[in-house]
Amino acid sequence: MKINHLTAAEENLMKLFWKLDSFYLKDAMDRHPEPKPHQNTVSTYLKILTEKGFLSTEKEGRIFKYTVIIPFAEYRKFLLKELCHHFFDNSGKEVLEVLLDENLISKNDFADYLDLKIELKPAKNKQPDYEFANEILKTKKK
């Protein structure tokens, strides 16, 4: 699934839509914080977000029900990859250095994360295959 960039206004509305997951225009208007945008504005953005592939529509009588297609976690990964690609030459190490230097993640938190991710698995001892050696060493039958 290809993810497109969102404008700031689209992103703000999507934050609300991600919380709702499946909704009608009226639900979005009711849940939008003050100051509420005009209903036509929200309706226009719903059309744009549907065209961009973030929402799907299902007609129910005379109204549409909207459902989020691209989850928030996927969009967040997309943004992080774009940031890494455009500003850090695809270097995760450089991203990590900035996160640690700017105290956006503490060294202790990072160390704890690594401790959780590293699993020590017992080594699997594979029995050697002696088939070839047995063939050579096999005594000849008379």
Side-chain angles (χ1 to χ4, degrees), residues 7-131:
T7 65
E10 293 166 350
E11 203 170 280
N12 284 334
L13 280 172
M14 275 306 298
K15 287 177 185 176
L16 171 65
F17 302 155
W18 278 312
K19 290 176 187 172
L20 297 173
D21 191 48
S22 186
F23 58 94
Y24 300 97
L25 174 59
K26 183 183 181 322
D27 300 330
M29 293 303 298
D30 291 344
R31 297 282 300 271
H32 196 287
E34 293 291 340
K36 294 184 188 290
H38 193 276
Q39 185 170 329
N40 291 346
T41 304
V42 175
S43 183
T44 300
Y45 278 112
L46 287 169
K47 182 179 181 227
I48 292 168
L49 290 166
T50 301
E51 289 171 356
K52 285 188 171 186
F54 281 83
L55 302 173
S56 69
T57 60
E58 180 182 334
K59 190 162 182 144
E60 293 184 0
R62 293 178 15 196
I63 61 174
F64 287 99
K65 182 176 186 180
Y66 296 91
T67 305
V68 173
I69 296 175
I70 296 176
F72 176 69
E74 290 300 313
Y75 184 67
R76 186 171 59 176
K77 284 183 211 174
F78 164 75
L79 288 179
L80 187 57
K81 286 178 184 178
E82 288 285 302
L83 180 74
C84 186
H85 173 72
H86 291 293
F87 294 98
F88 296 96
D89 294 325
N90 288 326
S91 172
K93 181 182 178 217
E94 287 184 30
V95 173
L96 185 59
E97 285 174 0
V98 170
L99 291 173
L100 291 169
D101 289 346
E102 296 298 318
N103 294 318
L104 295 170
I105 183 172
S106 72
K107 291 180 181 173
N108 290 336
D109 286 345
F110 183 65
D112 291 345
Y113 175 79
L114 287 179
D115 287 342
L116 291 174
K117 289 293 182 177
I118 298 173
E119 288 183 35
L120 297 176
K121 294 181 180 178
K124 293 181 181 178
N125 292 331
K126 184 180 175 185
Q127 294 296 326
D129 186 11
Y130 294 115
E131 186 178 325

